[in-house]
Amino acid sequence: MNHMKKWKAIEVTEIAFLSIAMAAILILLSGADPLTAGRMFFNGIFGNASGFGEVFVKATPLILTGLGCSVAFRTGFFNIGAEGQFYIGALASAWVALNATGVPGVFRIILAIGCGFLFGGLWALIAAILKAKLGISEIICTIMLNYISMNLLGIAVRTFLMDPAGSIPQSEKIDASVTLLRFLKPTRVHTGIFIALGAVFFVWFLMEKTTSGYEFKAVGFNKRAAACSGISVVKNIILSAVLSGGLAGIAGAVEVLGVQKKLLEGISGGCGYTAILITLLAFNHPGGVLLVSVLFAALEVGANSMQRQMGVPSAIVDFLIGFIVLLILGRELLTGKMRAKEGK
Amino acid sequence: MMQQILTVGFLSAFLSAAVRMAVPLAYAGLGETISEKCGILNIGMEGVMLSGAFFSFAGTFFSGSILVGLLCGMAGGAAVSMLHGVLSIRLSKDQSVSGIAINIFILGVTSFLYKLMSGGQSYQQIEPLIKLRIPLLADIPLIGNALFNQDILTYLIYFLVMGVSFFYKKTNTGLSFASIGESPRAADSAGIPVYRYQYISMVLNGVLGGIGGAYLVLVQVGNFSENMTSGRGYIALAAVILGRYLPFGMLGAAFLFGSANALQIRLQAVGVPLPSQALSMLPYLITLAALLGSAHKNHGPESLGKPYVRGAR
């Protein structure tokens, strides 16, 4: 056991070293000096309050979508559709926030977020039924649904949700009484972070302390064994997919009500895809998702600062995080423990 | 409106576009058929195509030669496939996880490199591949233009599909390759070099997927944009399933999905009074609907996606 831990420490050091080296190479490629860029990077994160706050603003939707992915992955449902579920959740909550004018402030927020959860979950349900009942690949289905939902949102902001006063494809501004409170001015940190933290606890409790969580994991671990011990595979895949989509839907709702305060195209910023990598890095653990999301958000804030100050494309973050995930996947290559299962 | 659609002009333009939209799917689908016959599910096809698209663009842009660009695209695709190959063959990783991770990684890589290349500059355009018109045959009404007035890559795919189909059906080596996807253990016992054949399949998968991506740049658009494959790699996966893992079946499915795309493009061109987004989602809706047809019917190789570890039980 001790031996294993030692190996892991070496791996972690190697992966960290290689990632930093890769970052330096990429910064050099963009024609900037890595040391100055590094200073700009940390300056962007810790230089002032609003930059530091931005880390938590960006982490909030990542935590929620990442949790969603982790629940589905552990049940063996490879939900690549968080992006689409995010869109549908954002669409539903924006519609409620703008149209349910009869419901007073706080209750409308709750209703809007609830609808985000509901519709995100229903969107995932489509793929879940196709997978659980008909055996169709959830990977292809969820990707197709992502593109469909992207276009649905595009239609919405050009037709029934379009701001009548403007000509840009986006909804009108949501009334201030229905938006999430920014409690740390001048930063943009909003109460959505508490929803995300609550969700971390909820998912951890569900997966580790309840029978449903146990059944999810059992199905994810071995479908046949789960079925033989009386656990319904179909039911659990559908439940976990709906929960997963619902969490991504909440992320969409929180982004609409807390950050953008209106519905617009590309509102997710690709966070549904990033969430997949975050979940993989966190080994599907809720606490890990929280940690990796905050780290990733910090990377993003720092990279934005590098882009503003030094012209290093902020896509460097997507490059690096993918690189790290692949390093972790291929870590046996680093330590020479290839095909570890051989001869077992 | 219907009169506008039911004209020879519209139909002929539609068929032409359908072929053009189907070709990249057919290349990627053929590559995927080859890897899946060997038991390797390459969900990373989207990344393979995107890499092929980017490197063919960069290659053509810097060298000024389409041939060099195409070779760069093939190499770019093969590199991505080999990455998946090493992870799934050598390290026996979960092939879905590896494929998805690769797709997102390649999206980041190509976006980053493209931004470096364009450096915030305006539009960069390359000269697309010329069409080779086959005399007489191209004059056949309706289908002549679609089938016989295309570029060389389009003509090539028909022969490649025939070749691959022949290879798996009629040759001993082809049978050996296909047996790996069914039962790698049995294949290994029969003396077939399982891992070597799997790597060969992955290279072919990458080269063909790379051409598929390159086609988008070199024939369809003439430039690169971020995430320009927009799900085509996954649609190619669907084409393989729908085509029941047969090269000709896959080609037919690619034409179906290509037509869906062509239809939305032609309808936008004639100005159908619908939001363009409603038409843009058509190919994805049709792919989803087509997958319904494959419900419960699994024609895939028996050991598809299962890592083979020599000597393990």
Side-chain angles (χ1 to χ4, degrees), chain B residues 183-223:
Chain B
S183 170
R185 180 140 319 148
D188 206 354
S189 318
I192 295 167
V194 173
Y195 295 131
R196 192 193 310 158
Y197 279 10
Q198 284 185 328
Y199 279 119
I200 294 173
S201 300
M202 287 315 287
V203 171
L204 292 173
N205 169 292
V207 167
L208 289 169
I211 299 177
Y215 189 92
L216 299 174
V217 169
L218 301 179
V219 180
Q220 287 186 3
V221 203
N223 63 8

Side-chain angles (χ1 to χ4, degrees), chain A residues 30 78 130 133-134 136 143-144 147 151 155 158 273 277 316 319 322-323 326 329-330 332 338-339, chain B residues 89-91 93 100 104-105 109 112 116 227 230-231 234-235 237 277 280-281 284-285 291-292 295-296:
Chain A
S30 347
F78 218 54
L130 293 180
K133 294 267 187 199
L134 305 175
I136 299 173
I143 285 278
M144 294 302 121
Y147 283 99
N151 283 305
I155 295 172
R158 281 179 182 79
Y273 294 115
L277 294 184
I316 191 172
F319 192 132
F323 181 72
L326 289 176
L329 271 179
E332 287 98 332
M338 268 160 286
R339 218 171 273 136
Chain B
I89 302 167
R90 192 159 190 185
L91 301 177
K93 293 293 163 186
I100 294 291
I104 306 176
F105 174 60
V109 170
F112 178 81
L116 281 192
N227 193 21
S230 54
Y234 297 98
I235 296 183
L237 292 180
Q277 285 77 16
S280 300
M281 69 168 91
Y284 305 108
L285 274 173
L291 282 174
L292 282 176
H296 287 315

Side-chain angles (χ1 to χ4, degrees), chain A residues 237-304:
Chain A
I237 286 185
I238 288 179
L239 272 181
S240 89
V242 168
L243 179 58
S244 163
L247 284 164
I250 293 184
V254 164
E255 187 72 7
V256 164
L257 303 176
V259 182
Q260 306 291 349
K261 307 191 168 176
K262 61 188 166 214
L263 187 66
L264 65 165
E265 282 182 295
I267 188 169
S268 82
C271 111
Y273 294 115
T274 309
I276 297 164
L277 294 184
I278 287 178
T279 314
L280 292 178
L281 278 176
F283 297 104
N284 295 333
H285 189 280
V289 169
L290 172 65
L291 181 73
V292 180
S293 298
V294 172
L295 284 177
F296 181 84
L299 264 178
E300 211 166 342
V301 171
N304 282 338

Side-chain angles (χ1 to χ4, degrees), chain A residues 105 109 174-182 191 256-258 261:
Chain A
I109 296 181
I174 292 166
D175 190 70
S177 67
V178 202
T179 55
L180 295 170
L181 182 70
R182 290 183 180 170
T191 44
V256 164
L257 303 176
K261 307 191 168 176

Side-chain angles (χ1 to χ4, degrees), chain B residues 221-299:
Chain B
V221 203
N223 63 8
F224 181 82
S225 54
E226 275 179 49
N227 193 21
M228 77 181 298
T229 44
S230 54
R232 283 185 181 82
Y234 297 98
I235 296 183
L237 292 180
V240 174
I241 297 172
L242 195 64
R244 303 184 169 187
Y245 301 81
L246 300 169
F248 279 106
M250 180 283 303
L251 187 65
F255 273 115
L256 172 71
F257 298 145
S259 320
N261 213 339
L263 184 65
Q264 65 99 357
I265 293 171
R266 294 315 305 167
L267 287 178
Q268 286 195 28
V270 280
V272 176
L274 278 173
S276 68
Q277 285 77 16
L279 293 170
S280 300
M281 69 168 91
L282 196 66
Y284 305 108
L285 274 173
I286 294 202
T287 306
L288 210 51
L291 282 174
L292 282 176
S294 71
H296 287 315
K297 281 177 258 163
N298 186 10
H299 299 273

Side-chain angles (χ1 to χ4, degrees), chain B residues 3-79:
Chain B
Q3 278 131 357
Q4 244 176 317
I5 291 171
L6 291 174
T7 59
V8 175
F10 177 91
L11 287 176
S12 154
F14 161 70
L15 287 175
S16 253
V19 171
R20 245 188 3 260
M21 293 295 140
V23 171
L25 299 177
Y27 271 104
L30 192 62
E32 189 66 27
T33 308
I34 292 174
S35 76
E36 294 195 9
K37 285 266 187 204
C38 249
I40 311 277
L41 177 66
N42 190 3
I43 300 278
M45 186 42 88
E46 178 85 0
V48 173
M49 288 183 82
L50 196 55
S51 168
F54 174 76
F55 286 104
S56 69
F57 174 70
T60 313
F61 188 75
F62 289 121
S63 74
S65 147
I66 288 195
L67 184 66
V68 173
L70 185 63
L71 289 172
C72 289
M74 289 156 77

